[in-house]
Amino acid sequence: MPDIATWKKIGIMGGTFNPIHTGHLLLAQWAMEEAGLDGVIFMPTGNSYMKDKEEMLPGSERLAMTQLAIQDRECFSCSDLEVKRGGNTYTYETLEALRSMYPQSRLYFIAGADCLFNIEKWYCPQKIFENCVLLAASRSGAPMEALEKKRCELTEAYGAEILLMAFPNMEISSTDIRRRRRLGRSIRYLVPDRVREYIVRNHFYEGL
Ligand code: NAP
């Protein structure tokens, strides 16, 4: 178990992770190097109230898959904070909890850059920006000018600290993985082997 209290710069990789896949893992790895993070906490959501509930596995199963995905990396950890909290998952609550657990550390919330355009609809954006640096990954081909403009707007409105990070465009999504399972197609290499075996063994996402 990593000693997170010794990490000065902590990345938070929040996600529904239904299921976790190689894109999520690479994004966390990339963020570590880009921002010089000491490690990353993967945080599967409890109830992602902004997501379609169809095909949504329970938090306990998404947590189990996330644990399997990161178990061989000392600098990756997995938290059950949101899954255990119950109710709708609000990122600001998680960040406030982590701030009090690790008061000496700086928190970096890792996300796809598109979130810059909807984070103001999340619950209490002001409190999100007060508690973390937002590390936003822009996929290649995304219009950088629009992102830069939005970054400036959010900095002005909320005092937000936002780092834009270039990230390669990987056409891997949880939606596509579930679709492949429905069609009986392979998900090998899209998810870590241990996760694939867990999904197959438990017949997840079949015939939905
Ligand atoms: P998700 O679908 O599991 O994705 C997790 C993250 O990985 C997202 O930032 C996503 O960016 C990124 N990602 C997925 N596939 C990728 C790929 N191939 N290459 C690069 N990046 C990839 O989780 P989510 O439902 O978007 O939730 C993300 C976080 O936002 C969670 O922590 C959730 O709690 C939080 N959230 C909070 C609120 C709130 O507080 N009210 C509301 C909504 C979400 P993209 O989205 O750009 O794919």
Side-chain angles (χ1 to χ4, degrees):
M1 281 287 277
D3 184 5
I4 300 171
T6 64
W7 295 356
K8 295 270 175 295
K9 294 169 85 174
I10 302 178
I12 317 296
M13 179 74 217
T16 306
F17 301 145
N18 185 40
I20 189 160
H21 57 65
T22 309
H24 298 129
L25 294 164
L26 191 66
L27 178 56
Q29 176 63 28
W30 211 268
M32 281 209 14
E33 289 176 351
E34 286 284 320
L37 307 178
D38 296 293
V40 175
I41 301 176
F42 285 72
M43 182 70 68
T45 58
N47 178 14
S48 292
Y49 67 101
M50 286 169 120
K51 283 258 169 169
D52 191 353
K53 295 290 178 294
E54 211 186 326
E55 297 191 321
M56 181 70 77
L57 287 183
S60 55
E61 295 295 10
R62 291 181 288 107
L63 176 69
M65 292 189 284
T66 307
Q67 281 163 338
L68 286 172
I70 57 108
Q71 71 180 22
D72 54 358
R73 271 323 285 291
E74 188 63 21
C75 55
F76 284 177
S77 176
C78 178
S79 171
D80 60 6
L81 209 66
E82 292 188 349
V83 167
K84 284 222 169 120
R85 192 161 65 222
N88 288 341
T89 289
Y90 299 123
T91 297
Y92 92 90
E93 279 188 314
T94 304
L95 292 171
E96 286 187 343
L98 291 171
R99 268 291 283 272
S100 55
M101 288 164 74
Y102 308 110
Q104 311 299 337
S105 312
R106 198 118 204 259
L107 303 180
Y108 291 74
F109 190 80
I110 304 163
D114 282 356
C115 86
L116 295 192
F117 298 101
N118 54 38
I119 198 163
E120 287 173 285
K121 296 195 198 93
W122 295 13
Y123 204 65
C124 295
Q126 181 69 57
K127 290 188 180 170
I128 293 178
F129 290 124
E130 277 166 17
N131 285 292
C132 73
V133 176
L134 181 61
L135 194 47
S138 150
R139 267 91 138 193
S140 26
M144 216 45 190
E145 263 173 40
L147 285 176
E148 191 54 46
K149 183 165 172 279
K150 192 67 199 171
R151 188 179 74 84
C152 292
E153 281 172 23
L154 292 170
T155 301
E156 191 137 314
Y158 301 95
E161 200 176 329
I162 300 169
L163 300 178
L164 290 178
M165 148 178 110
F167 188 71
N169 207 357
M170 295 178 75
E171 293 293 336
I172 303 180
S173 70
S174 300
T175 307
D176 181 56
I177 289 167
R178 296 195 302 271
R179 185 187 64 85
R180 295 180 76 85
R181 287 286 298 153
R182 271 198 310 275
L183 299 174
R185 296 181 64 177
S186 171
I187 57 169
R188 193 181 286 272
Y189 310 126
L190 298 173
V191 301
D193 268 346
R194 276 188 294 265
V195 175
R196 178 177 55 82
E197 283 156 13
Y198 190 80
I199 289 174
V200 170
R201 191 164 62 245
N202 288 289
H203 303 282
F204 288 159
Y205 314 119
E206 282 177 5
L208 285 166

